[in-house]
Amino acid sequence: MADYVRTGSVRPVDEERPDPVSRLDEAAEALTELHEAFTGEESLDDALQRVAETATRALADADAVTVSVVTGQRPHTAAATDRNLVALDEEQYESGRGPCLESARRLTPVRAVIGEHRDLWPEFEAAAARAGICAYLSVPVVLPASNDAEARHVGTLNVYSYTSTAFDPFDEGLMRLFTASASATITSDQRWRHSQGKVEHLEQALASRAAIEQAKGVLMAVHTCSADDAFEMLVEQSQRANVKLRDVAAKLLDSVTKP
């Protein structure tokens, strides 16, 4: 296989790799950028796209990054810095085998040099060779659950390179640190959004309760009835008009406050 495929996108085999300190600094800078970029308002897919884009700057030989979400249902690619390489992920999903799925199942990083695993992952190997990919690194990452019924689901950060000598054990360790930190950041972000949603829901509930109580007071004064009777009047109107109780109360209050 050729030492490199695309001019300007790869590093020749005989060129020395950056020293570990420089590589660690690059990863640290990428993580800092990732943490500072989160706003607490992004969707999970947007957050994963940001993770993918940042990961390409964390490794010197990372030419493209995808993020696979591997759940009980069919796996899918949630983010990608190069949509053309999503086909390589799809080959693994369709065949049920490949380094991405291997990483998710074992919960360990998987490094692959294209051409060395034709018997193990023939579909992926063929697709990677057609795309000019020479090396691959997949690292598992625990992602926030999509709903309260799940504790978590597993994804993988898939790093592609056009350089055949890309990715060594040090890169593997860097990506494990990167994915652990990214997972913690996304989880915190999602929990913040969830808590904000609960607060907003509570505020709406309190506002609705206040409106209903005021409407009950108006009806008690007009009809000289008890609080229970006033509430029954509101409920009856709500059912008759097929309108939420708080909206009935708000309409009543609006009618008595208009000049």
Side-chain angles (χ1 to χ4, degrees), residues 184-211:
T185 300
I186 295 173
T187 301
S188 297
D189 178 71
Q190 295 293 307
R191 285 176 177 171
W192 183 88
R193 294 186 65 204
H194 187 62
S195 65
Q196 283 296 104
K198 285 187 174 181
V199 169
E200 292 174 0
H201 182 72
L202 178 59
E203 290 175 343
Q204 291 175 359
L206 292 174
S208 297
R209 181 179 179 85

Side-chain angles (χ1 to χ4, degrees), residues 156-170:
T156 56
L157 189 74
N158 313 311
V159 190
Y160 294 96
S161 179
Y162 296 113
T163 302
S164 59
T165 56
F167 314 136
D168 58 19
F170 189 81

Side-chain angles (χ1 to χ4, degrees), residues 9-10 12 20 98 129 131-132 152 168 202 215 227 231 244 254 257:
S9 66
V10 296
R152 67 176 191 175
D168 58 19
L202 178 59
F231 184 72
K244 291 182 179 179
D254 185 57
T257 56

